[in-house]
Amino acid sequence: MNWEIVMGLEVHVELSTKTKIFCSCTTEFGGAPNTHCCPVCTGMPGTLPVLNEKVLEYAVKAGIALNCDITRYNKFDRKNYFYPDLPKAYQISQLYLPFARDGHVDITTPSGVSKSIRIHEIHMEEDAGKLIHSPYGDATFPDYNRCGVPLIEIVSEPDFRSAEEVVAYLAKLKSSFEYLGISDVKMEEGSMRADVNLSVRPYGSSEFGTRTEMKNINSFKAIERAIAFESQRQIELLESGGTVVQETRRWDDNKGKSLAMRSKENAQDYRYFPEPDIPPISISEEMIKELTDAQPEFAHEKLERYVADFGMAKADAEIITSSKHLASLFEKTTELCGNPKETVYWILSQIMYFMNERGVLPENITLSPEKFARFIGIVLSDRINRQTGKTVFEAMFFADGDFDVEKYIVENNLEQVDDTDLIRETIKSVFAANPKTVEQYKAGQTKVTGFFVGQTMKALKGKAKPDTVNKVLTEELKNL
Ligand code: ADP
Ligand code: ZN
Ligand code: MG
């Protein structure tokens, strides 16, 4: 039988506000255990939570970006459960009136499937702490620093049919939140975590199968592996006459397996009730308008504009818009130097190389658009050639603080050599030093020309103007 995979995602995103959702503790990642806590976020009796205004602002920004209806009057609810990572024994969340509903995210997969994933709702809630289990198996150490870090949870409809669609969706969320500046969206640090609900059904069936839920998978690769494993497990179970049990499973990426964790809980298991300590929130039309007007230009919009306005290749535009920081460096530099092509050339040839080979992260790039633009001006004015340009670019890119491109070129004697006589003399001495190659050329092996160019360049320390070298070499070859 042919099976279809059906998936719905619940994605938790930590908002990058300075302070927690209901108290003024820092949200900073790390820190010595239990040092970013206070009586409010550890749920001491008698304390009162107060909603952080920034959290609401960031959340609504996300809701608008994902095309949701913003709930003008929304509320918090208590989700009760006992677990050592939650000292209050309840999590403040939103069940009955989440702040955003009925949105959609448009995706295109690498194999060309374009579709719209419906968003059921987005709610605000607080994160729980972390449990660190002793490697000796005899103790667990709770760290409550993460308690009360603001989260939004984005619940999709069961609209995914392949791992590729899931990854495209997560990449789009990640990019949107990065451009919005509301989250670090680092899956490795847990600031974006995905739960995958998955079921299978015979192709053509209109009913959904029973689903399992895999919690907190923290990389795109792991998600692909988890989906492949779990869908296969369910198919084999059904084909051998078994039934899928609705349960929560843990994906163990090292073992490459999903393992049963607990049976699926229902809303009633949590004894939800309205949070009595926080008044309902009313969101004004002005606020919605203001936050709608403040939406940034997102990656896919930039991509279209770069292709249309600058004639950029789509693949290049994809790379540059893959990071807000790269896109901003590109735009500002282009504005200053007036040459998008040249800016793209240096980003793709040099910066991408540093990112891939040396682990440079776009958010850590310190090169200013001003320096970058001045550098491009120098290359275009023929003061240095492209080869030397790479050396200069690298020095400039990794320099900390003051770096004067002009001074660097002069001090290191890197200016382009365009002296025809000097180049001619050099070529002649290259001929003299390589009589065998000269004979080969005379015998009709014209491919040795490249060797002469290389030797001449080398003799002139890579600084000669390539056009002039080619021109003079052609003349001298005729004289042989
Ligand atoms: P619950 O209230 O039990 O958490 P929801 O209806 O909120 O369940 O669904 C949770 C997630 O599971 C949603 O993302 C939804 O799209 C997805 N989902 C629901 N039913 C299925 C199914 N049969 N197969 C795959 N995903 C499903
Ligand atoms: Zn606190
Ligand atoms: Mg749910």
Side-chain angles (χ1 to χ4, degrees):
M1 194 183 312
N2 264 333
W3 297 90
E4 181 175 49
I5 307 174
V6 173
M7 287 169 287
L9 257 63
E10 292 162 286
V11 179
H12 286 92
V13 177
E14 279 182 5
L15 301 177
S16 54
T17 53
K18 286 205 173 63
T19 56
K20 292 185 178 180
I21 182 167
F22 301 122
C23 66
S24 53
C25 291
T26 178
T27 54
E28 212 173 295
F29 180 74
N34 302 306
T35 53
H36 300 166
C37 307
C38 74
V40 176
C41 52
T42 49
M44 294 297 160
T47 57
L48 282 177
V50 177
L51 177 63
N52 179 345
E53 233 183 341
K54 270 281 175 218
V55 170
L56 183 66
E57 178 192 317
Y58 282 16
V60 173
K61 278 183 172 170
I64 294 169
L66 307 192
N67 308 295
C68 292
D69 294 335
I70 303 300
T71 318
R72 304 305 198 262
Y73 179 81
N74 62 93
K75 283 184 187 176
F76 283 99
D77 303 293
R78 275 191 196 180
K79 179 178 181 178
N80 299 280
Y81 68 96
F82 178 74
Y83 201 63
D85 65 357
L86 191 72
K88 287 208 293 247
Y90 61 85
Q91 179 191 30
I92 303 179
S93 180
Q94 296 192 300
L95 178 73
Y96 301 106
L97 290 170
F99 78 92
R101 283 194 281 222
D102 295 333
H104 63 91
V105 174
D106 299 331
I107 57 162
T108 302
T109 67
S111 62
V113 177
S114 284
K115 69 192 278 188
S116 192
I117 304 296
R118 291 167 303 153
I119 303 296
H120 180 74
E121 65 168 69
I122 314 179
H123 53 261
M124 290 177 273
E125 59 188 25
E126 57 183 334
D127 210 343
K130 260 187 202 161
L131 298 178
I132 298 140
H133 303 288
S134 150
Y136 310 107
D138 58 353
T140 292
F141 305 99
D143 175 5
Y144 296 138
N145 283 353
R146 203 176 63 182
C147 278
V149 166
L151 293 176
I152 50 173
E153 178 177 346
I154 304 147
V155 183
S156 85
E157 296 293 349
D159 287 347
F160 299 95
R161 297 294 177 267
S162 69
E164 198 189 54
E165 291 174 12
V166 168
V167 170
Y169 169 80
L170 290 171
K172 179 101 180 241
L173 291 188
K174 196 166 148 64
S175 164
S176 301
F177 298 153
E178 191 207 332
Y179 275 87
L180 277 170
I182 61 168
S183 173
D184 297 337
V185 280
K186 287 189 182 146
M187 288 187 100
E188 339 65 87
E189 284 185 9
S191 50
M192 178 161 143
R193 324 191 274 268
D195 303 344
V196 178
N197 296 272
L198 186 151
S199 62
V200 298
R201 64 178 176 186
Y203 259 107
S205 158
S206 58
E207 269 160 50
F208 288 142
T210 303
R211 74 180 191 272
T212 59
E213 176 173 4
M214 291 183 287
K215 287 269 190 207
N216 292 340
I217 316 177
N218 62 4
S219 77
F220 289 175
K221 265 269 143 313
I223 283 173
E224 285 176 346
R225 278 156 50 85
I227 292 171
F229 176 89
E230 179 59 16
S231 54
Q232 200 50 41
R233 188 190 70 86
Q234 291 188 13
I235 291 167
E236 279 168 18
L237 198 59
L238 294 171
E239 286 189 339
S240 63
T243 47
V244 175
V245 180
Q246 191 173 347
E247 62 190 357
T248 303
R249 299 179 68 86
R250 187 169 61 84
W251 171 249
D252 186 326
D253 204 43
N254 293 323
K255 295 207 175 86
K257 275 181 175 182
S258 69
L259 305 156
M261 219 163 99
R262 56 173 186 256
S263 63
K264 169 82 187 154
E265 22 351 61
N266 293 311
Q268 56 267 44
D269 295 332
Y270 290 118
R271 302 292 189 273
Y272 276 101
F273 63 85
E275 168 56 57
D277 287 342
I278 304 174
I281 302 144
S282 130
I283 299 176
S284 68
E285 298 309 316
E286 289 95 293
M287 177 175 173
I288 291 174
K289 175 160 190 330
E290 209 176 282
L291 297 180
T292 305
D293 292 344
Q295 294 275 303
E297 184 184 30
F298 290 102
H300 63 280
E301 295 163 334
K302 284 192 186 293
L303 188 146
E304 278 169 26
R305 181 164 64 84
Y306 292 176
V307 171
D309 290 7
F310 303 130
M312 205 186 282
K314 195 162 165 255
D316 294 351
E318 245 159 39
I319 294 173
I320 290 174
T321 56
S322 68
S323 153
K324 170 185 168 176
H325 304 278
L326 269 189
S328 156
L329 181 62
F330 162 75
E331 287 180 19
K332 289 183 182 150
T333 306
T334 295
E335 205 177 307
L336 291 169
C337 75
N339 195 323
K341 270 218 168 68
E342 199 65 24
T343 312
V344 171
Y345 170 84
W346 291 101
I347 291 179
L348 295 185
S349 66
Q350 293 292 96
I351 299 182
M352 284 314 294
Y353 171 76
F354 299 147
M355 281 168 53
N356 295 333
E357 299 300 315
R358 305 209 198 158
V360 171
L361 296 173
E363 57 267 37
N364 296 337
I365 294 174
T366 53
L367 173 63
S368 69
E370 289 75 21
K371 271 187 203 149
F372 193 176
R374 207 172 315 131
F375 166 83
I376 287 174
I378 289 172
V379 173
L380 293 178
S381 71
D382 268 359
R383 288 227 3 237
I384 54 176
N385 67 23
R386 269 170 201 280
Q387 202 47 45
T388 319
K390 288 192 176 159
T391 315
V392 177
F393 191 92
E394 183 171 343
M396 170 175 77
F397 189 83
F398 289 105
D400 34 31
D402 281 349
F403 182 88
D404 189 329
V405 189
E406 304 268 353
K407 211 169 127 201
Y408 184 83
I409 292 168
V410 174
E411 278 177 0
N412 292 279
N413 193 20
L414 294 172
E415 280 178 81
Q416 176 155 270
V417 174
D418 192 16
D419 176 340
T420 311
D421 292 340
L422 175 59
I423 290 175
R424 195 178 304 279
E425 256 168 56
T426 311
I427 289 173
K428 282 182 179 159
S429 54
V430 167
F431 286 168
N434 298 281
K436 271 198 193 136
T437 321
V438 170
E439 287 313 313
Q440 284 174 335
Y441 180 81
K442 284 184 180 161
Q445 293 191 36
T446 49
K447 65 169 196 283
V448 298
T449 313
F451 171 79
F452 293 136
V453 173
Q455 290 300 305
T456 308
M457 271 297 187
K458 200 172 154 199
L460 292 167
K461 301 204 171 65
K463 295 183 295 185
K465 184 174 184 178
D467 290 353
T468 314
V469 171
N470 285 326
K471 197 179 114 244
V472 179
L473 181 63
T474 312
E475 290 166 14
E476 288 306 314
L477 286 171
K478 280 188 195 139
N479 295 337
L480 280 177

